[in-house]
């Protein structure tokens, strides 16, 4: 009998357990071997996905990069194609125009005129499509807002004149005119009676501002400019000129704007542009000789319309 510690007799239960473990290992060994034979050199994803600690690692091969796409893109279609054709034609027409002007041979001139004819034909097609669209789509027809036909234009002009007069007569107590003049001004002699008649017609208060200290018999109330125009932002006053004064729209206690609406013809109403300054507002109406209709139109546009809505 040997003295090796491994020769110590094991209990029967331990020997049975050890034998069972050997059988399990022997049964699993062929399966692992087959797996390695099926996928040589490939790491098991489930194994590499585990937390193996600092002393173990797995190496995964980088995925293969797909080859670059060498196919030719399809030609542009629809809008892109139309734009490409337009740019090509425009370049061709521009080149033909320059050649015809700089080297006016019969061939160059004919080439230019033939291309120009194509452009005119395309423009005619656009114009025809445009008018058909406007006829069948009323909201795109600008002539409904500003008529161009003689009959409709006459009616629109009469309505516009009535609206302007109604508007100015109803806001007359809230506005006034400053008339800037000088004694040696030729246009002032022409414009002074127009301003006087305009103020009388619409019951407006008008005050004259003399730049050079001269008097004006047609304007009852006048004063000499002693820096007032500069304080109003007018450094080099042009004579004659008109400034529109508007009383403040602010509530003196709360500072809120009081909205003001004026009823026009056909029961339509417009909002009066408010003056947001406690001391009142000055608006430069224009300079030079104007007719009464011009003055009326400018006041109406400034106070009864908003930028962009009256065109």
């Amino acid at each position: 009998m040997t003295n090796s510690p491994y020769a110590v007799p094991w209990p029967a239960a331990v020997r049975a357990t050890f034998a069972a473990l050997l059988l399990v290992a022997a049964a699993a060994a062929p399966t692992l071997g087959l797996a390695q034979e099926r996928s040589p050199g490939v790491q098991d994803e489930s194994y590499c996905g585990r937390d193996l600690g600092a002393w173990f690692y797995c190496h995964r091969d980088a995925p293969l990069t797909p080859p670059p796409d060498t196919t030719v893109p399809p030609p542009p279609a629809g809008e892109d194609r139309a734009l490409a054709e337009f740019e090509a034609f425009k370049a061709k027409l521009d080149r033909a125009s320059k050649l015809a002007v700089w080297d006016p041979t019969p061939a160059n001139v004919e080439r230019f005129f033939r291309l120009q004819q194509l452009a005119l034909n395309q423009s005619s097609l656009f114009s025809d499509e445009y008018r058909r669209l406007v006829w069948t789509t009323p909201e795109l027809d600008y002539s409904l807002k500003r008529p161009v036909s003689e009959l409709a234009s006459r009616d629109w002009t009469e309505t516009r004149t009535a609206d302007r007069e109604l508007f100015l007569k109803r806001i007359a107590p809230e506005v006034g005119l400053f008339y800037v003049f000088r004694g040696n001004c030729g246009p002032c002699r022409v414009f002074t009676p127009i301003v006087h008649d305009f103020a009388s017609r619409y019951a407006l208060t008008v005050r004259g501002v003399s730049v050079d200290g001269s008097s004006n018999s047609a304007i009852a109330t006048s004063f000499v400019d002693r820096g007032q125009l500069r304080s109003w932002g007018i450094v080099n006053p042009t004579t004659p000129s008109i400034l529109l004064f508007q009383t403040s729209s602010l509530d003196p206690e709360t500072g809120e704007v009081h909205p003001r609406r004026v009823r026009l013809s056909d029961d339509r109403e417009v909002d009066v542009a408010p003056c947001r300054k406690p001391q009142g507002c000055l608006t430069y109406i224009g300079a030079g000789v104007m007719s009464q209709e011009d003055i009326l139109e400018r006041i109406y546009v400034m106070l009864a319309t908003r930028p962009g809505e009256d065109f």
Side-chain angles (χ1 to χ4, degrees), residues 41-292:
V42 177
Q43 300 291 341
D44 182 21
E45 290 293 330
S46 62
Y47 180 76
C48 288
R50 296 162 47 199
D51 185 8
L52 302 178
W55 301 102
F56 296 89
Y57 66 92
C58 285
H59 174 72
R60 295 189 179 127
D61 293 333
L64 295 177
T65 303
D69 187 6
T70 58
T71 58
V72 178
E79 294 181 355
D80 294 337
R81 184 186 48 154
L83 290 175
E85 291 176 353
F86 172 77
E87 292 297 335
F89 178 80
K90 184 172 68 172
K92 186 184 298 184
L93 180 62
D94 181 65
R95 177 182 175 86
S97 173
K98 293 176 180 178
L99 286 173
V101 171
W102 193 252
D103 185 18
T105 63
N108 288 342
V109 174
E110 181 181 356
R111 182 187 306 112
F112 167 68
F113 271 96
R114 289 188 179 278
L115 290 173
Q116 188 181 50
Q117 187 64 45
L118 290 176
L120 292 175
N121 291 341
Q122 197 68 22
S123 299
S124 299
L125 176 60
F126 165 76
S127 299
D128 190 25
E129 290 289 351
Y130 173 79
R131 68 172 183 171
R132 292 168 187 265
L133 175 66
V134 169
W135 290 345
T136 57
T137 314
E139 61 267 23
L140 298 179
D141 190 354
Y142 181 76
S143 65
L144 296 179
K145 182 178 181 180
R146 283 292 180 93
V148 294
S149 65
E150 182 179 358
L151 182 61
S153 179
R154 186 187 308 121
D155 177 71
W156 182 90
T157 301
E158 292 175 355
T159 302
R160 174 78 168 204
T161 301
D163 288 343
R164 293 182 307 186
E165 292 184 346
L166 280 174
F167 177 80
L168 186 54
K169 288 180 178 178
R170 289 174 180 173
I171 67 167
E174 306 165 25
V175 297
L177 297 178
F178 283 102
Y179 173 55
V180 183
F181 67 93
R182 68 175 71 242
N184 59 353
C185 166
C188 296
R189 289 190 289 271
V190 177
F191 194 39
T192 296
I194 297 176
V195 174
H196 176 270
D197 293 344
F198 181 82
S200 301
R201 177 180 177 184
Y202 295 102
L204 291 177
T205 300
V206 57
R207 297 192 66 184
V209 183
S210 176
V211 176
D212 58 356
S214 60
S215 61
N216 193 322
S217 58
I219 307 299
T221 306
S222 299
F223 63 90
V224 179
D225 176 36
R226 303 189 185 278
Q228 291 92 335
L229 292 177
R230 181 178 291 272
S231 67
W232 295 345
I234 304 174
V235 179
N236 297 313
T238 301
T239 55
S241 58
I242 291 182
L243 288 82
L244 175 69
F245 175 76
Q246 181 185 8
T247 58
S248 177
S249 304
L250 300 179
D251 187 297
E253 297 181 358
T254 64
E256 297 180 353
V257 175
H258 286 297
R260 178 80 161 87
R261 295 180 67 83
V262 174
R263 187 179 299 276
L264 304 179
S265 59
D266 300 330
D267 288 333
R268 293 180 296 107
E269 291 186 341
V270 294
D271 294 319
V272 180
C275 172
R276 302 179 183 275
K277 296 180 180 180
Q279 69 275 21
C281 299
L282 275 177
T283 303
Y284 200 101
I285 295 297
V289 178
M290 294 176 281
S291 67
Q292 293 191 30

Side-chain angles (χ1 to χ4, degrees), residues 15-25:
R15 289 199 303 272
T17 302
F18 186 74
L21 290 174
L22 290 177
L23 290 175
V24 172

